[in-house]
Amino acid sequence: EHRVRNSDYRYETVWYNQTIDHFSFTTDAKYRQKYLYNDTWWDKENNGPIFFYTGNEGVIEAFAENSGFMWDIAPEFGALLVFAEHRYYGESLPFDKDYAKNASTVGYLTSEQALA
């Protein structure tokens, strides 16, 4: 469990083997996509909701630690909180850090691929 200093926000950090290309089916390559979750208030037995935050252009911890609204309402709704890191940002890198120099790797950095 990770706890931010001087904060009540706690979350687990996990990784998912994410598909690089959801549409062309020319590759079945995967990469490790980071996501954070907190199930403290989740009412799983009664199908409590999942509040899902789609990451922005940066490390996901920064957004999780500054998205107070989701944390504020999760107890009231019995919600599971999930914060997914955006592909190509933070530690969720499908390719090395020089991906922008190659059209064949930067081509997967689209909103369609990110939301699929």
Side-chain angles (χ1 to χ4, degrees):
E1 178 177 285
H2 177 79
R3 181 169 187 244
V4 181
R5 201 174 355 174
N6 300 321
S7 173
D8 291 329
Y9 301 155
R10 293 180 175 90
Y11 48 80
E12 296 291 327
T13 302
V14 287
W15 298 85
Y16 175 74
N17 284 327
Q18 181 62 269
T19 301
I20 290 179
D21 186 356
H22 296 281
F23 303 109
S24 74
F25 307 107
T26 59
T27 179
D28 59 356
K30 308 269 187 197
Y31 72 98
R32 289 173 28 105
Q33 182 177 23
K34 181 168 47 172
Y35 68 97
L36 317 174
Y37 76 92
N38 179 299
D39 62 359
T40 301
W41 308 282
W42 192 25
D43 186 2
K44 186 176 183 179
E45 289 75 32
N46 292 307
N47 298 314
I50 298 171
F51 293 169
F52 186 84
Y53 184 95
T54 56
N56 300 35
E57 292 83 3
V59 297
I60 194 58
E61 291 86 354
F63 299 104
E65 295 161 10
N66 291 287
S67 299
F69 178 69
M70 288 178 58
W71 295 94
D72 292 345
I73 65 172
E76 178 182 347
F77 286 89
L80 169 68
L81 297 177
V82 179
F83 297 86
E85 189 164 69
H86 195 306
R87 57 175 48 210
Y88 288 86
Y89 292 93
E91 295 179 79
S92 297
L93 300 173
F95 305 99
D96 64 28
K97 295 185 185 224
D98 291 330
Y99 69 86
K101 297 177 182 176
N102 185 336
S104 69
T105 56
V106 77
Y108 299 111
L109 179 55
T110 66
S111 56
E112 293 85 3
Q113 292 283 1
L115 293 171

